[in-house]
Amino acid sequence: MIAKIGRSSNLFGTLSYNNLKMEQEKGEILLTNKMIETADGKYSVAQLAKSFEPYLLANRKTEKHTLHISLNPNPKDMVSDEQYREMAQQYMNEMGYGNQPFVVFKHTDIDRSHIHIVSVCIDEKGKKISDQFEKVRSMKICRELEKKFGLISVVEKQPHQNHKIFRPINYKSGDIKSQMASVIRHITSYYQFQSLGEYNALLSLFNITVEKVEGELKGQLKRGLLYFPLDDQGKKAGNPFKASLFGKNAGIDALQKHFTASKSKSNDQPVKQSLKRSIIDARHYSINEQAFKNKLKEEGIDTVVRKNENGRIYGITYIDHRSRTVLNGSRLGKEFSANNFNDYWYNNVKADQTENNPPQQKASQSSNKENLPAEDPHHFFDFLNTGQPEDGLFEALGSLLPEAQREDYEEQDFAHKMMKKKVKRRRD
């Protein structure tokens, strides 16, 4: 089980978010502690907020007074409502919030149930309750709850994560947003790319594409990103999702910073030279586009080719999983660009003989490798020798990335909207 602890200065917004789930019949209140009861057992946001008012009025100087905790069992765990109540009560007691007013919501809007706990982290006298070693204590309690209720252990499971958990999305299986999030939230931590086109080429391996949107709102230019799921044919297969639903790293500003950071990598030239040799070798020993792609895939390199309606190649991008680098063909040189390969494959225009001489190329490759830093391949690339190159990338990523816990990314977006409204009211 995983616990997420969040703090904010917006109690009303936090309660509104959870109340909205109930109005949509995707949530319910399982437990209240030291909360003002209602005659019919139903609560509005205003009624819930009244129980916290004395604490907020007594607050001395704690800015982020609102506590928002989610407890997330493994999707395979079958947890009853009564067990959720016990878990929530034990967790709050051991974290030092057992005497606080709090309300426990159960959410059922994604493919696993989970609970959210809303409280305040200041006591009746307005003093902040200690959060020292909070994460360590929280993890310890989660391990205790796993043992007590027979839940799947996160710690015991991690060393054996060799199964495929990070893979292309399947729009037919539902919960598309969570599938996309498991890729989008992590991919920038593992790959270097310098443009939106290169980012899109990488995302296409996982049946995702992103588009930039710009427009004017109240006289101000607004810009953002929309993410779309794709089918197996690379066509849009559903409604778009705003970047904000996937966290700050998915937004246009964060990506621009990533582009800049990728450009400053000092190992750019060795990576390019190694990739060039692989491409030249693959081109010599392949007779068509598909054979070329297969040859590179055997070396841990994916090739994304973009064509217009007439079938002409207008873009080619190489995803080198060995160095975790994405490179447009034009960045490698004219001979590796889209036009060159379009002529080579479809117009029967042969490449220069000097580029395509395999005996010399192999000798050059051996010589150049001696000048590169010697290092053993990272276990990330063990899939290269599995004989299953099509699936190996995703299995390899699965062993490195945390399992997708199907987080509700709408929560962050909702909180952001509430904060903007609050700021607007102050200005008015």
Side-chain angles (χ1 to χ4, degrees):
M1 184 174 71
I2 293 177
K4 285 186 62 178
I5 304 174
R7 284 181 167 80
S8 75
S9 57
N10 190 356
L11 173 66
F12 190 84
T14 303
L15 290 172
S16 296
Y17 167 76
N18 287 280
N19 189 67
L20 181 62
K21 296 293 182 183
M22 293 195 295
E23 291 178 354
Q24 296 172 340
E25 298 184 350
K26 295 177 180 178
E28 60 179 309
I29 292 178
L30 290 185
L31 175 69
T32 59
N33 186 71
K34 296 185 71 174
M35 300 287 289
I36 301 172
E37 296 184 1
T38 61
D40 57 2
K42 297 180 180 180
Y43 296 87
S44 65
V45 173
Q47 289 168 330
L48 291 170
K50 285 182 180 179
S51 299
F52 300 105
E53 282 181 2
Y55 296 79
L56 298 182
L57 291 173
N59 181 25
R60 298 179 184 178
K61 57 181 179 180
T62 303
E63 181 180 353
K64 295 186 177 181
H65 45 66
T66 298
L67 195 66
H68 194 187
I69 300 168
S70 66
L71 298 182
N72 306 272
N74 187 284
K76 295 180 181 178
D77 286 323
M78 302 299 293
V79 184
S80 68
D81 289 351
E82 185 56 38
Q83 287 175 321
Y84 271 134
R85 294 185 186 98
E86 289 186 50
M87 286 182 193
Q89 190 69 62
Q90 181 174 335
Y91 183 90
M92 294 298 279
N93 287 343
E94 295 192 27
M95 287 296 290
Y97 301 110
N99 292 323
Q100 294 292 100
F102 64 82
V103 55
V104 180
F105 300 87
K106 177 183 176 183
H107 288 193
T108 57
D109 56 328
I110 53 180
D111 64 350
R112 60 168 179 81
S113 64
H114 57 290
I115 57 175
H116 286 241
I117 308 171
V118 179
S119 184
V120 287
C121 54
I122 44 179
D123 61 22
E124 292 176 323
K125 297 180 181 180
K127 184 179 178 181
K128 180 183 177 181
I129 297 173
S130 175
D131 59 358
Q132 191 173 20
F133 305 115
E134 182 177 70
K135 291 184 179 179
V136 175
R137 291 188 288 123
S138 176
M139 290 175 64
K140 180 176 179 293
I141 298 168
C142 286
R143 303 295 80 78
E144 293 174 356
L145 293 175
E146 287 171 349
K147 291 179 181 179
K148 180 176 180 178
F149 294 95
L151 306 178
I152 296 173
S153 173
V154 173
V155 174
E156 293 176 4
K157 186 179 176 184
Q158 283 178 344
H160 306 289
Q161 283 187 340
N162 295 321
H163 53 294
K164 299 173 188 176
I165 56 177
F166 188 67
R167 63 182 68 202
I169 68 166
N170 181 355
Y171 74 98
K172 295 180 181 179
S173 65
D175 199 13
I176 297 175
K177 182 181 69 176
S178 291
Q179 288 189 65
M180 293 172 67
S182 67
V183 175
I184 295 168
R185 292 194 76 203
H186 301 289
I187 206 72
T188 55
S189 299
Y190 289 88
Y191 284 85
Q192 303 300 323
F193 42 85
Q194 298 184 19
S195 68
L196 195 63
E198 291 179 350
Y199 181 45
N200 248 328
L202 179 61
L203 288 178
S204 70
L205 299 182
F206 304 98
N207 295 339
I208 302 171
T209 190
V210 62
E211 292 183 3
K212 184 187 293 186
V213 291
E214 294 183 339
E216 191 173 302
L217 180 64
K218 296 182 179 179
Q220 291 185 336
L221 182 64
K222 300 290 184 180
R223 61 176 188 163
L225 296 176
L226 292 177
Y227 288 83
F228 294 81
L230 303 177
D231 60 21
D232 294 336
Q233 305 302 315
K235 297 180 179 179
K236 294 176 182 177
N239 295 324
F241 294 89
K242 294 187 297 183
S244 58
L245 295 175
F246 303 120
K248 63 180 182 180
N249 289 336
I252 191 167
D253 292 335
L255 286 176
Q256 290 290 353
K257 292 179 181 178
H258 188 83
F259 299 158
T260 302
S262 296
K263 290 178 182 177
S264 65
K265 292 294 179 180
S266 59
N267 65 344
D268 193 46
Q269 285 307 315
V271 167
K272 284 184 177 180
Q273 292 305 318
S274 176
L275 181 56
K276 285 180 180 180
R277 290 192 295 270
S278 297
I279 295 171
I280 291 172
D281 189 47
R283 183 166 58 188
H284 180 84
Y285 288 102
S286 58
I287 59 174
N288 55 37
E289 178 184 339
Q290 192 56 51
F292 174 79
K293 289 180 176 180
N294 292 341
K295 179 68 176 174
L296 285 179
K297 189 180 285 285
E298 291 174 3
E299 296 191 41
I301 302 167
D302 269 300
T303 309
V304 177
V305 176
R306 296 175 294 283
K307 300 178 181 179
N308 62 21
E309 295 179 355
N310 298 322
R312 177 178 176 79
I313 298 174
Y314 68 86
I316 187 166
T317 304
Y318 307 96
I319 296 100
D320 187 347
H321 304 298
R322 303 168 302 181
S323 62
R324 307 183 200 176
T325 304
V326 186
L327 287 155
N328 276 335
S330 58
R331 282 215 284 137
L332 293 173
K334 183 179 178 181
E335 64 270 30
F336 303 97
S337 65
N339 286 336
N340 183 276
F341 278 94
N342 187 79
D343 291 339
Y344 183 69
W345 287 326
Y346 301 109
N347 296 334
N348 201 30
V349 177
K350 300 301 181 184
D352 292 341
Q353 196 66 28
T354 55
E355 295 174 14
N356 240 353
N357 190 324
Q360 294 179 6
Q361 182 57 40
K362 287 192 178 290
S364 172
Q365 184 171 342
S366 175
S367 175
N368 286 337
K369 278 189 175 179
E370 293 177 0
N371 298 324
L372 295 177
E375 60 179 4
D376 294 329
H378 194 282
H379 66 83
F380 178 84
F381 309 114
D382 290 344
F383 71 91
L384 297 177
N385 300 316
T386 63
Q388 295 178 323
E390 294 85 356
D391 294 332
L393 163 64
F394 312 113
E395 186 160 1
L397 281 171
S399 67
L400 288 175
L401 298 175
E403 180 168 8
Q405 282 292 321
R406 306 292 190 187
E407 293 297 346
D408 195 337
Y409 302 100
E410 288 181 354
E411 176 186 339
Q412 299 175 21
D413 189 46
F414 184 91
H416 181 65
K417 288 179 180 177
M418 293 298 297
M419 185 60 67
K420 288 174 67 176
K421 289 182 179 178
K422 186 175 181 181
V423 171
K424 185 176 183 298
R425 285 197 298 269
R426 285 177 180 173
R427 290 174 178 173
D428 294 343

